[in-house]
Amino acid sequence: MAGPVSQTIVEFAARTRHQVHGDLVERHARELHSRSSYDCWNGLSDRDQELWRHMARLDLTTGRP
């Protein structure tokens, strides 16, 4: 069972998925990750990559730089 934070992220992603183009989300997620980590994007688990995508959607839909 998912915790409250996971559930909130899933709900937010469902609401915003169609508001921002997938390519833009992917590019922004990779940019956020590269600024914050030395790990290789391709070395991240699918779950970790999706978390970065959620953070990118949040940035893109709230107008944060």
Side-chain angles (χ1 to χ4, degrees), residues 10-65:
V10 168
E11 289 171 6
F12 177 80
R15 286 194 319 265
T16 61
R17 193 164 309 276
H18 301 290
Q19 293 177 0
V20 182
H21 192 273
D23 291 341
L24 181 59
V25 170
E26 185 72 17
R27 186 171 57 246
H28 193 58
R30 289 174 183 252
E31 289 171 3
L32 290 174
H33 171 262
S34 70
R35 284 189 240 151
S36 303
S37 176
Y38 292 108
D39 294 332
C40 174
W41 176 263
N42 294 332
L44 296 175
S45 68
D46 291 341
R47 187 176 183 179
D48 286 343
Q49 286 182 2
E50 191 58 27
L51 180 59
W52 283 105
R53 289 182 193 105
H54 291 319
M55 290 187 288
R57 280 187 202 96
L58 179 62
D59 265 5
L60 294 167
T61 58
T62 59
R64 289 179 52 198

